[in-house]
Amino acid sequence: MSNQSFPRLLAQQSFVRFWLARLAGVTANQMLMVAVAWHMYDITSSAWDLGLVGLFQFLPALVMTLPAGHLADRLHRGRIFASCMGVQALIALLLIVATQGGFATRELILGISVVLGVARAFQMPAQQALTPLLVPQELLQRAIALSSSGMQAAIICGPALGGVLYTTGPVTVYGSCAALLLMAGALTLVVRYAHRPSTLAATWGSVLAGFAFVWQRKVLLGATSLDLFAVLLGGATALLPIYARDILHTGPVGLGLLRAAPAAGALVMSLVLIRWPLHRKVGHRLLAAVAVFGVATVVFGLSTDFGLSMWALVITGAADSISVVTRMTLVQLETPDEMRGRVSAVNSIFIGASNQLGEFESGATAALMGPVGSVVLGGVGTLLVAGLWLRLFPALARRDRMG
């Protein structure tokens, strides 16, 4: 980054405010996920219930994300994001009252998971589509790089902080989350940009336009679906409470560190890609990264050593970062501005499917064959997907350059 461009970027006040808002919001969200997962496992000691938490977030998000993308192209994106922060803050406050009142039950946590899924369905398209409007076009690439690095830092610090705070009780975590989420909403409300709403009527054709856009471009379809199936099969996030307590014999602090490890790898890799971006053989390197993700997942599944498990998760995060950066770059290069919200909604569906539905898949298979069998099977499945996509999407495999 040149000596002049970085100060110019920091001079964009609305961008800096939104960057801080996302930093606070993502940190709070990661803390909340650690606390809710550990809280659920404390209540039920059930792998199945940990999987249900992911499923109950994914299903409403799947239904609502495409309409949310259409709204992000019509309404003020900053106000949508601020409203989502407010809803999540109310959930954190409800969890405080429920914990202190003795009615923080399995059913309440599952119901809260549904509301969280709806809130994120509207949050993701709005936040992805807002950043390009806050900076001049010549600073956009640097703004996206800075945003990505900041979010990865929040994903690292959030789980670790949540685990430490949980040692004093879940109320401490939920109170901290509420404060950060309210701050994120307040910062976003003072973000200013030139709002140019879409004039398209809310028809099924306009709502589904983002999906049709991705479907017609096989390179984009291959890249996004590859990321979906890799994380869907290989993700072990939902089972980390089981690994932390029963296999690696650590507590909430260890759980926070395990959840932060993939983000640490992703942060390092994102910084590497900023300095040395992929220029040639993009498709083959993407498929190779997914294969590495699968191998590291198998290593984590078989490990009984905390240090080795941490390193395996770091490698999964680094490999996944290559997939995420590649997908987002391809989408950025090929999406017109007027469709950004709807295409971002499609990306959100893929992300949600790979994360929340992946948590359900992990919990369900762990209930049938145990946590180790579930994770190892997922890692092997990821390797098979990488090989299959090599044949199903030859245009992606042959892609030499980003542009």
Side-chain angles (χ1 to χ4, degrees):
M1 189 177 294
S2 70
N3 292 332
Q4 294 183 354
S5 60
F6 188 65
R8 283 187 62 206
L9 182 59
L10 295 183
Q12 311 298 314
Q13 293 185 2
S14 287
F15 169 74
V16 172
R17 290 168 183 162
F18 188 56
W19 186 86
L20 292 172
R22 289 185 63 185
L23 191 66
V26 173
T27 301
N29 179 260
Q30 294 298 311
M31 293 168 59
L32 190 61
M33 288 303 96
V34 168
V36 167
W38 196 273
H39 205 162
M40 175 65 94
Y41 200 54
D42 274 344
I43 294 170
T44 69
S45 297
S46 169
W48 174 259
D49 286 336
L50 286 176
L52 285 180
V53 170
L55 180 65
F56 275 48
Q57 291 180 51
F58 168 70
L59 290 178
L62 179 65
V63 172
M64 298 303 299
T65 298
L66 288 179
H70 183 77
L71 285 178
D73 284 334
R74 291 175 61 90
L75 303 181
H76 193 286
R77 293 165 183 167
R79 292 169 189 164
I80 294 174
F81 182 87
S83 298
C84 294
M85 294 296 100
V87 168
Q88 292 177 67
L90 289 175
I91 289 173
L93 294 173
L94 173 60
L95 284 167
I96 293 174
V97 174
T99 303
Q100 292 179 332
F103 59 93
T105 62
R106 169 183 181 271
E107 289 71 24
L108 178 67
I109 291 178
L110 292 178
I112 281 172
S113 298
V114 173
V115 180
L116 284 173
V118 173
R120 288 178 195 148
F122 286 88
Q123 173 188 333
M124 293 298 290
Q127 75 179 28
Q128 290 180 28
L130 180 55
T131 298
L133 300 175
L134 304 180
V135 296
Q137 187 172 357
E138 64 271 16
L139 295 179
L140 179 57
Q141 185 176 5
R142 292 180 172 88
I144 292 174
L146 182 60
S147 295
S148 177
S149 298
M151 296 314 104
Q152 293 299 338
I155 293 172
I156 294 169
C157 296
L161 181 58
V164 170
L165 292 177
Y166 197 92
T167 60
T168 66
V171 170
T172 305
V173 187
Y174 297 143
S176 301
C177 290
L180 285 171
L181 289 164
L182 289 172
M183 182 175 71
L187 282 169
T188 308
L189 287 175
V190 295
V191 168
R192 299 288 181 264
Y193 73 94
H195 175 52
R196 292 183 292 273
S198 170
T199 58
L200 293 174
T203 65
W204 276 112
S206 63
V207 170
L208 297 175
F211 183 77
F213 182 87
V214 173
W215 180 264
Q216 292 166 4
R217 289 157 178 79
K218 299 306 180 186
V219 170
L220 291 185
L221 179 63
T224 52
S225 59
L226 176 66
D227 183 75
L228 184 155
F229 282 103
V231 180
L232 171 63
L233 294 172
T237 303
L239 303 183
L240 289 182
I242 300 175
Y243 268 84
R245 194 176 78 176
D246 301 336
I247 296 176
L248 301 175
H249 306 294
T250 185
V253 174
L255 173 61
L257 292 174
L258 289 171
R259 287 193 65 116
L267 174 60
V268 172
M269 183 54 67
S270 67
L271 295 175
V272 169
L273 291 174
I274 291 171
R275 179 62 182 85
W276 296 287
L278 299 180
H279 291 300
R280 303 298 302 272
K281 299 182 179 179
V282 171
H284 280 105
R285 291 179 179 179
L286 172 61
L287 292 167
V290 172
V292 170
F293 181 92
V295 171
T297 299
V298 172
V299 171
F300 171 78
L302 296 174
S303 172
T304 58
D305 178 78
F306 184 79
L308 177 60
S309 298
M310 285 282 291
W311 276 112
L313 290 175
V314 167
I315 293 172
T316 64
D320 186 54
S321 179
I322 295 175
S323 176
V324 170
V325 170
T326 301
R327 183 185 73 244
M328 295 302 294
T329 302
L330 290 171
V331 170
Q332 182 69 32
L333 289 172
E334 299 193 19
T335 304
D337 290 340
E338 64 270 14
M339 291 189 61
R340 194 180 301 277
R342 283 162 288 176
V343 173
S344 296
V346 175
N347 275 326
S348 298
I349 289 177
F350 281 106
I351 293 170
S354 61
N355 292 328
Q356 276 75 50
L357 192 57
E359 290 182 12
F360 173 71
E361 179 271 337
S362 296
T365 54
L368 292 174
M369 61 181 63
V372 174
S374 172
V375 174
V376 172
L377 180 64
V380 172
T382 301
L383 285 168
L384 294 176
V385 165
L388 184 61
W389 257 236
L390 185 65
R391 293 184 174 274
L392 290 179
F393 296 94
L396 174 63
R398 294 193 303 266
R399 183 72 175 241
D400 187 42
R401 298 179 181 273
M402 286 289 189

